[in-house]
Amino acid sequence: MKSSLKIGFGFYRHMLNDDNYRFARQAGATHAVVHLTDYTGQLKGAPVTDDQPIDGENGWGSTSGDREIWSVSSLTDLKKRMAAYGIDLYALENFDPAHWYDVLLAGPRRDEQIEWIREIIRNMGQAGISVMGYNFSLAGVAGRVHGPFARGGAESVGVSGVDDTPIPKGMVWNMAYESTRTGEMLPEISHEELWERLRYFLERVVPVAEEAGVTMAAHPDDPPAERVRRQPRLIYRDALYRKLFGLVESPASRAELCLGTVQEMQGSDVYRLTEELVRERKVAYIHFRNVVGKIPEYHEVFVDEGDIDMPRIIRILVENGYDGVIIPDHTPQMSCAAPWHAGMAYALGYMRGLCQVYG
């Protein structure tokens, strides 16, 4: 049986090369979600790794705020290079912190940086890239630990308690955009203030996205704690997606539905939320990954061994007419000569099998 679901593959910036495009296609992917921010600093000479970025003393490091990679010509060239291997560049994920730190902080350059975000969205539309995934968060993905958490001792990531370390000024989304050596820390703000900052952003960006034919897709907070690094979170409960959609009602404002993050939330029902959002056509694409546990203690595991019944998720998607992209996002690394490649191939094979059986 041929499924209408589309299998995607997530690429970090340093992975954008022919070998990885070829590998992704061989493993069955037809679509790509790309991170253009150099989280791990490998383009600046940091040690090569295909694993997820993990916190250090200075977060994930610093960001240069490269703008050329977001231009129409660069995006068009990237889409063409992937297309040569049978892969459609479907979405970009996460803005560079250097491009919108004052949007997140309500700082003096907020309107200037919003105009740059609007330009990125227009560039994506011209290049034929359908979705911009974003996570409106001050702390970003912070407080993760690394260990043999998955089946057979496979290396993975998790959270063991919520990170309460204050964020230094000059850092946002776990990356430094300027010097953080002043000793000053970001002042703590309320949830209401962060929601107002998000409203300000969406009111100015979503109409441009509509015109450009681009969907803005909001990722839930991971870790989904009420506060991380003493700053508030937005979508740390599954019901808070409703609040997000109510800020600016538009078909261009949807969810980047991360199943693992939703499962990590206290009191969540990942099956109900998936069914509701898919039925209402509010899902732009899906992070198809599994976990064991809930905040404040959980581990990412192989896609077939966690707390989420993944065959049930696929049945929900198919029964409610979802024909969009699902990607493994990330996965445990396997004990072999190519740990990341093996883990990703395993996840993709399992996903393709489910799609063939239930799709």
Side-chain angles (χ1 to χ4, degrees), residues 330-351:
H330 35 77
T331 186
Q333 299 204 27
M334 303 182 76
S335 300
C336 62
W340 173 80
H341 289 83
M344 293 300 291
Y346 183 90
L348 287 165
Y350 181 78
M351 291 163 62

Side-chain angles (χ1 to χ4, degrees), residues 39-40 52-62 139 141-146 163 165-168 171 173-176 180 229:
Y39 303 124
T40 56
Q52 304 169 59
I54 300 294
D55 303 320
E57 182 178 348
N58 300 308
W60 290 351
S62 61
V141 182
R144 293 193 301 194
V145 294
H146 191 273
D163 188 352
T165 308
I167 301 173
M171 175 181 287
W173 226 93
N174 217 18
M175 297 189 76
T180 60
R229 299 197 70 173

Side-chain angles (χ1 to χ4, degrees), residues 199 202-203 206-207 210 242-254 282:
R199 182 195 301 275
L202 291 178
E203 285 177 345
V206 169
E210 284 188 16
R242 297 297 175 193
K243 185 171 183 178
L244 166 76
F245 298 141
L247 294 181
V248 177
E249 295 185 6
S250 167
S253 178
R254 299 186 185 182
K282 296 300 290 183

